[in-house]
Amino acid sequence: MLDLELLRSFVSVVDAGGFTRASERVHRTQSTVSQQIKRLEEDVGQVLLHRDGKDVRPTEAGERLLSYARRLLSLAEEARDALRVPDSEGAIRLGIPEDFAAYRLAKLLGAFSRSHPSLRLDVRADQSKNLSRDLDRGELDLALFKREAGAKGAIAVWPEQVHWVTSKSHPIDASAPSVPLIGFPLGCLYRAGAIHALESAGRIWHMAYTSSSLAGIQAAVAAGMGLSILSEMAIQSDHRVLSAKDGFAPINRTEVALMAAPGASSATLRLADRLAEFCDDVQAKAA
C-alpha cells in the first residue's frame, strides 16, 4: 500500500521544484519532507528524484509514479468529501487583493467551491492593509495580501513585479511641475510607495484620481489622467510602463504573502495549497 502522505509530499516536491517550497505547502520541515521521499523510494524500490543542488526533477520512474500519485490523492479527497456530514466543513473566510480577484483567481475559487459543496466560502477583496489587520483580529481564516518584502510569518511568499504606468495614447508630461497620481485610498502600499519615491526624488505630486476600484484606476490611467503603480498582472494593453530612463525609478520591493489564522482547518489548508499553486504558476509565467 502506498502512503498518501508520502505521495502528497512527492507531488509537492515535483510541483514546487524543490524541497524548501514543498515543505511550506505540506506544512512540514524540509528534513521531514526529505525523509518522506526517502521512505517512498524505499517502498517502491526506485529512485524517484534527481537532485542537482537546489534543483529537483523526477526520474523516469518518478514521472511514471507522478500521474498515479495525483489520481490517488484526488480520489482520496473525493472519498473524504463524499463521506462528510453536510455542513461539517463550515466556512472559510478568505481575503484577497482586488487585482487577484479580477484575475484568474475567481475561476480557482469557483472550482474549489464546486469540489467542496458542504463548505461555505466567504471571499472579500480589499486593500492589503485591511486584510492583514483582519487576519490578526481573527476575522479572516486565510489571506493573500501585499506587503513590503522581507517580513516574517507566512505559509509562502512571492516577490512582486510592480511598475510605474501611464497611458499609451495620452502619456503624461514627465516635465510637468506637479506629477498627477492615480491610486487607491490612503493606506495603500502602492500609493505610499509612489509618494515616497517622488518625494525622495524631489518631485512635487498631487492626487489626480483616487478610487477603491482597480477597474477605475486602470481606466483613469488609460485615459491619461495621471500615473499609477500597478502589479504586472493588472497592467493593460492601453498602458505604457515607465522606467528610470523616463525619470521614474523603481519603488521599494513588495511581495505577496499567503497567511492562515492559527488553528486553521484542514479545508482552509487545502485552499491554501491551491492558492500557493496559483501564485507559483503566476510567478513562473512572469519569470
Side-chain angles (χ1 to χ4, degrees):
M1 297 292 289
L2 292 173
D3 188 314
L4 292 179
E5 288 303 316
L6 302 186
L7 292 177
R8 183 172 289 108
S9 292
F10 170 65
V11 171
S12 294
V13 170
V14 173
D15 288 347
F19 286 88
T20 301
R21 182 60 63 81
S23 66
E24 295 169 348
R25 285 190 180 184
V26 298
H27 316 291
R28 300 284 190 275
T29 65
Q30 185 174 334
S31 62
T32 298
V33 173
S34 181
Q35 291 170 6
Q36 288 178 323
I37 299 303
K38 184 178 179 181
R39 284 175 52 198
L40 182 60
E41 289 178 329
E42 291 173 350
D43 286 349
V44 300
Q46 297 276 358
V47 175
L48 300 174
L49 298 173
H50 289 300
R51 298 165 176 84
D52 182 13
K54 292 184 178 181
D55 295 328
V56 177
R57 66 184 190 282
T59 62
E60 183 177 341
E63 289 180 335
R64 288 200 303 270
L65 177 62
L66 186 61
S67 62
Y68 289 106
R70 293 190 195 281
R71 286 155 57 191
L72 286 168
L73 291 170
S74 177
L75 187 60
E77 185 168 331
E78 181 182 331
R80 282 195 301 268
D81 291 341
L83 294 173
R84 282 195 179 96
V85 177
D87 300 325
S88 63
E89 286 192 284
I92 298 176
R93 299 164 299 172
L94 170 67
I96 55 175
E98 189 177 358
D99 52 356
F100 276 72
Y103 196 51
R104 291 183 294 133
L105 198 54
K107 294 181 180 179
L108 182 154
L109 297 176
F112 185 84
S113 290
R114 288 190 296 274
S115 66
H116 296 76
S118 63
L119 172 72
R120 191 180 80 241
L121 186 59
D122 297 337
V123 183
R124 174 158 61 89
D126 203 343
Q127 284 186 250
S128 289
K129 67 160 189 171
N130 297 334
L131 299 177
S132 177
R133 178 200 65 204
D134 292 348
L135 184 69
D136 289 340
R137 289 178 175 177
E139 296 173 7
L140 290 174
D141 303 304
L142 187 65
L144 190 69
F145 58 90
K146 283 88 177 297
R147 67 184 188 182
E148 292 185 3
K152 303 296 183 182
I155 295 173
V157 296
W158 298 268
E160 190 179 31
Q161 300 294 321
V162 296
H163 304 277
W164 287 100
V165 291
T166 186
S167 170
K168 183 176 287 186
S169 303
H170 311 286
I172 70 149
D173 181 2
S175 63
S178 178
V179 178
L181 286 181
I182 298 171
F184 287 98
L186 189 65
C188 170
L189 186 65
Y190 294 170
R191 173 177 172 144
I195 292 171
H196 176 75
L198 291 174
E199 291 183 346
S200 297
R203 305 284 298 271
I204 298 173
W205 59 274
H206 65 279
M207 291 305 301
Y209 188 95
T210 300
S211 174
S212 57
S213 163
L214 174 62
I217 290 173
Q218 291 169 321
V221 171
M225 296 185 65
L227 291 181
S228 189
I229 288 178
L230 293 176
S231 65
E232 198 159 86
M233 69 172 62
I235 297 173
Q236 300 183 320
S237 60
D238 46 8
H239 298 162
R240 181 168 75 86
V241 174
L242 298 172
S243 66
K245 292 181 180 179
D246 301 299
F248 295 93
I251 64 167
N252 292 337
R253 292 186 305 118
T254 59
E255 64 186 17
V256 177
L258 177 62
M259 296 186 68
S265 67
S266 59
T268 299
L269 295 178
R270 286 203 299 275
L271 178 56
D273 288 340
R274 303 292 190 280
L275 292 172
E277 290 167 5
F278 170 84
C279 291
D280 282 343
D281 183 54
V282 170
Q283 184 73 16
K285 289 180 178 178

